Amino acid sequence: MTSPAGAVPAKRSTMAPQLKEAIRQLITQDEMGPGDQLPTEPELSEHFGVSRNKIREALKLLEQDGLVTAIQGRGRFVSALGSLPIERPVNVYESITALLQGLGYKVTNVVLSVEEGTADARVARELQLNEGDPVIRLVRLRLGDDQPMVFSINIVRRDALPGPLKFRNWGASVTKSLEGHGHYIAFSIARLSAANLPAEYSEAYDLARYDPWLLVEETCVTREGKRLLYAIDYHRSSEIAFNVVRRR
């Protein structure tokens, strides 16, 4: 049977997040503004070719992110936050690739270096290691439509990704690689600030012209509470921003 237009693949574990993003794209495509009412659950169910329960789960995720507001007896409406097409919710953990794809970019991951090293005082503190413990240091440049968008430095506990470095695809998602070894990131502790790219990188890769960057430092924690990944991501500030919901 042919899937209807706009249909989303029915994979149980990822259905709600996929539908959430599909509905968000629908809001953008239809140029819906703050206060505009969303289609009803039955209408969305028919549009995407999925059950109303799945639609309801996705709408709940949109509500949690502050992108949609539900008013009892009236329906669901686009919030001021949900009507912004460029910025992303700051309280959502997602990979850099997913973030850029969500903004409509064709993503290319360029691996600049990957090497084994040891944890300095800062890394040891963030990953709850001892100074000198082994780590993997991965440096990548993320391109969106062939333009520099995110400069990433990922530092991973060595025991989380065993085996020779040369046999692993370092252009792929580190989060997915960790999942392949049974480590599932549940949340991250993040800090955002404005910063210039360190000179050793800006000069080597001709990136100084994009200063300043939006620096996002994240310590990623598994379901069991283990800190596995310390990510230092410089987002191109002229192209990427984040939204935060503030409530009274």
Side-chain angles (χ1 to χ4, degrees):
M1 180 180 293
T2 303
S3 299
V8 176
K11 187 176 180 181
R12 187 178 185 83
S13 61
T14 59
M15 174 64 80
Q18 283 186 356
L19 279 171
K20 167 193 158 184
E21 188 59 35
I23 295 172
R24 191 174 187 275
Q25 290 177 5
L26 184 66
I27 292 171
T28 300
Q29 290 168 3
D30 289 354
E31 299 182 347
M32 300 178 70
D36 286 347
Q37 187 168 9
L38 266 68
T40 65
E41 287 181 11
E43 289 171 337
L44 290 171
S45 175
E46 181 178 356
H47 178 79
F48 292 112
V50 298
S51 70
R52 288 182 60 179
N53 284 339
K54 294 299 181 185
I55 292 294
R56 195 172 297 118
E57 290 176 15
L59 290 170
K60 285 292 184 184
L61 293 178
L62 288 167
E63 290 173 34
Q64 290 171 11
D65 288 346
L67 305 178
V68 168
T69 301
I71 301 178
Q72 189 171 7
R74 293 186 55 196
R76 293 179 176 86
F77 299 82
V78 179
S79 70
L81 183 63
S83 65
L84 296 174
I86 300 301
E87 290 82 358
R88 305 287 286 179
V90 74
N91 60 330
V92 175
Y93 177 82
E94 60 185 344
S95 70
I96 297 297
T97 298
L99 182 151
L100 292 174
Q101 288 176 338
L103 296 176
Y105 290 110
K106 178 183 177 182
V107 182
T108 304
N109 293 323
V110 180
V111 178
L112 302 177
S113 67
V114 56
E115 59 188 5
E116 295 189 62
T118 56
D120 59 19
R122 176 71 178 274
V123 171
R125 182 174 67 252
E126 295 296 336
L127 295 182
Q128 296 179 336
L129 296 169
N130 296 315
E131 286 190 53
D133 280 353
V135 295
I136 299 170
R137 184 182 179 90
L138 171 65
V139 181
R140 295 183 291 184
L141 180 61
R142 317 300 186 87
L143 307 178
D145 296 340
D146 294 328
Q147 293 295 315
M149 288 294 167
V150 182
F151 190 93
S152 297
I153 304 170
N154 288 171
I155 303 169
V156 189
R157 293 177 60 122
R158 185 62 179 97
D159 57 4
L161 293 175
L165 299 187
K166 63 181 180 180
F167 295 139
R168 190 175 297 279
N169 176 13
W170 294 106
S173 165
V174 173
T175 300
K176 291 294 184 184
S177 295
L178 288 169
E179 289 178 1
H181 290 276
H183 306 300
Y184 294 87
I185 302 298
F187 66 94
S188 69
I189 305 163
R191 178 178 182 271
L192 282 72
S193 61
N196 289 344
L197 198 64
E200 63 179 299
Y201 298 120
S202 62
E203 293 172 3
Y205 302 109
D206 190 26
L207 296 171
R209 56 186 152 156
Y210 301 114
D211 286 340
W213 302 69
L214 178 62
L215 172 59
V216 181
E217 299 173 80
E218 285 189 286
T219 302
C220 304
V221 186
T222 68
R223 297 170 181 171
E224 295 76 29
K226 191 172 184 178
R227 300 184 178 196
L228 293 186
L229 168 64
Y230 177 42
I232 306 168
D233 295 323
Y234 293 84
H235 296 71
R236 188 170 161 187
S237 59
S238 62
E239 304 298 326
I240 302 173
F242 294 90
N243 286 314
V244 59
V245 180
R246 303 177 68 194
R247 295 188 176 93
R248 296 188 64 179

